[in-house]
Amino acid sequence: MLNYSTTNAASVQELIPISEHDGKRAVSARMLHAFLESKQDFSNWIQNRIKKYGFIENLDFVRFNKIIETVGGRMIEYALSVDCAKEISMVEGNAKGKQARKYFIACEEKWKESAKPLTPAEMFLQNAQLMVEHDKRISQVENKLHVLEAKTATRPDYFTIVGYGTLHHISVNLKQASGLGRKATKLCTERNIQTDEIPDPRFGKVKMYPSSVLEEVFNQPIN
C-alpha cells in the first residue's frame, strides 16, 4: 500500500515533488496533471487513466479526501506510485510527458546509487515482500475479471446463477444451476423482488437475481 506524506525527495533537480514515508515514494496526481499541462478536467483525467490502463488501488495509487479549510469542503486526491506516475507521463503523448518520464527515471537511478547494500537477511525479506505484493496484484486482477464475468451493465448488483458462482469461485453444473434458479425465483416471488434477464446464446435468455437473494440461496446445501 502506498503511503503519502509531505516530505519531498529531491534527489535530482525537482520538477515534480516526490513524497516519501516509511520507504514508500508517491507523487501527487494533481501536481502531475498540472505539470503535464493537460487540458482535461483533473477528475476525468485521472479516472480515465486508472480505468484505461488498469491501475490498481492500494498498489499503483491511493485515494483520499483532502479538507479545504477555506471553503469548508473536501476534494478527492490521488497519490501515485512512481512507476504509475512514470507510465501516465509516457502515455500523455506530449513533450511535458516525455520530460516527466525522464525525470522519474533519473530519480530512480539516484535512489539506486545512494542505496546501501542489503544484508542477505534484508534481501530475503525484500524478495518475500515483492512476492507478497505480486501475489496480491494477481489476486486483485483475477477478482476484477470474475466481477466483470458476473456483472451486467443494466443492474450491477444482479447476477446469473453461474455468474454468481464464478464470482465466488463456486463450481455449478447445469443441474445444480437449475435447482438454485428455482430456489432464487421462489424467494423473489415470495418477497415481491423483481428479477431480470439477459440474452444467452445457449438458452435464449437467462434470469438474474439480486446478490442478496443469491447469497442466501448459495448458503443452502447445493444438490
Side-chain angles (χ1 to χ4, degrees):
M1 177 176 176
L2 294 175
N3 296 292
Y4 186 76
S5 71
T6 55
T7 305
N8 292 329
S11 303
V12 294
Q13 183 178 359
E14 186 178 79
L15 297 180
I16 305 162
I18 298 175
S19 301
E20 184 173 352
H21 181 67
D22 290 342
K24 302 288 186 179
R25 298 182 176 94
V27 178
S28 163
R30 197 174 292 275
M31 289 183 180
L32 178 61
H33 173 262
F35 179 83
L36 296 175
E37 298 177 352
S38 173
K39 305 300 181 185
Q40 257 188 304
D41 168 75
F42 170 73
S43 179
N44 292 331
W45 176 83
I46 187 62
Q47 290 178 33
N48 287 343
R49 275 144 187 77
I50 288 172
K51 183 177 180 181
K52 183 174 181 179
Y53 299 103
F55 296 123
I56 298 174
E57 191 163 4
N58 295 328
L59 285 175
D60 299 310
F61 69 95
V62 292
R63 188 187 334 232
F64 58 94
N65 289 325
K66 180 179 179 182
I67 298 175
I68 310 300
E69 295 181 356
T70 54
V71 296
R74 296 170 181 264
M75 67 168 60
I76 299 177
E77 294 289 356
Y78 297 78
L80 312 174
S81 70
V82 175
D83 280 343
C84 180
K86 183 169 60 178
E87 186 171 346
I88 288 176
S89 301
M90 181 174 64
V91 299
E92 192 66 19
N94 61 15
K96 298 293 283 187
K98 292 179 180 178
Q99 186 181 7
R101 178 177 174 273
K102 289 180 179 179
Y103 164 72
F104 291 129
I105 291 173
C107 287
E108 288 173 329
E109 289 175 351
K110 282 289 183 181
W111 295 328
K112 287 177 183 177
E113 289 175 7
S114 60
K116 294 180 180 179
L118 298 178
T119 65
E122 288 172 333
M123 288 181 66
F124 177 81
L125 178 61
Q126 185 183 70
N127 288 334
Q129 290 172 334
L130 288 172
M131 289 177 66
V132 169
E133 290 294 324
H134 178 69
D135 289 345
K136 189 187 297 183
R137 180 186 289 267
I138 290 175
S139 177
Q140 289 187 341
V141 170
E142 287 178 343
N143 285 337
K144 279 187 176 183
L145 290 174
H146 286 313
V147 170
L148 288 173
E149 288 176 3
K151 279 189 174 182
T152 70
T154 54
R155 289 179 180 266
D157 58 332
Y158 273 55
F159 303 88
T160 64
I161 296 293
V162 174
Y164 187 87
T166 300
L167 180 61
H168 294 278
H169 310 286
I170 302 171
S171 179
V172 179
N173 61 37
L174 189 59
K175 182 180 177 182
Q176 291 170 330
S178 179
L180 291 169
R182 285 194 295 272
K183 291 179 182 179
T185 298
K186 183 180 177 183
L187 286 177
C188 289
T189 301
E190 291 173 350
R191 299 171 187 177
N192 198 28
I193 298 173
Q194 186 178 0
T195 60
D196 205 342
E197 292 182 332
I198 57 168
D200 187 284
R202 298 164 299 175
F203 309 110
K205 287 188 177 181
V206 175
K207 275 193 174 183
M208 297 188 302
Y209 310 90
S211 57
S212 57
V213 170
L214 291 173
E215 181 180 3
E216 186 174 340
V217 168
F218 271 79
N219 281 334
Q220 300 173 13
I222 300 176
N223 300 323

